[in-house]
Amino acid sequence: MTKKRINRATIAALCIMVMTVSCDRSRNDKGFEYFPDMAHSLAYETYAPNPNFGDSMTMRLPAENTISREIMPYPYPNTPEGRALAAAELSNPLEMTGDHLKTGKEKYAIFCRNCHGALGDGNGYLHTSGRYAIKPASLLSDKMLAAPESDIFHVITAGYQVMGAHGHMIRPEDRWKIAMFVKNELQANTVK
């Protein structure tokens, strides 16, 4: 019986010792790791100095004359001439369908409504709240009513005057859908 008590006491002492040793009191120490190189990368951080390169930069520039996948360079500049040329040469490659108009409405709500307003009259929240002093252009003006979808596509892509370019944020197909929505929904519901 004494042997059983000694065994139990030894086991209890071992358990307490293991629990004490395995606890992390400071939360800064991860404890012992077996194969730490499997869990923690040996790679350099993006902006950390890197002695493997002559300029000591880890983040490398892309090779010259290359573009990202799925990104086609936009050939029209952000100038009045570029806008006129884009309006004359481009045409919407998408058919007008209910799905395209629905997607265009959703993308308009995400990217355009805060400035141009839900009705497209330029009274979006950013202007009416006083956060943005310059009133955005009305998409219901005579100039915009006469403009083709390609003009709207160009302005979304390259920007115009104080409106910044949104081409890097919105895929080309979605820009065409927004232009389709503006021409066929917002402007179509305008009293002329």
Side-chain angles (χ1 to χ4, degrees), residues 16 23 72 128 172 179:
I16 290 171
C23 290
M72 294 301 294
T128 58

Side-chain angles (χ1 to χ4, degrees), residues 121-178:
D121 56 2
N123 290 320
Y125 172 75
L126 291 176
H127 177 67
T128 58
S129 68
R131 295 175 189 235
Y132 194 68
I134 301 171
K135 183 175 180 179
S138 171
L139 302 175
L140 308 177
S141 67
D142 292 337
K143 177 183 177 184
M144 290 308 297
L145 288 171
E149 286 181 10
S150 53
D151 183 57
I152 297 169
F153 176 85
H154 173 76
V155 171
I156 294 170
T157 304
Y160 188 70
Q161 293 178 342
V162 295
M163 179 179 160
H166 287 68
H168 64 283
M169 294 186 276
I170 310 171
R171 298 175 65 148
E173 183 177 310
D174 291 336
R175 285 180 251 152
W176 282 116
K177 290 176 184 176
I178 292 171

Side-chain angles (χ1 to χ4, degrees), residues 42-62:
L42 300 175
Y44 290 95
E45 293 295 324
T46 305
Y47 296 105
N50 188 332
N52 297 314
F53 297 110
D55 59 2
S56 298
M57 291 176 46
T58 299
M59 186 170 169
R60 310 307 301 162
L61 294 173

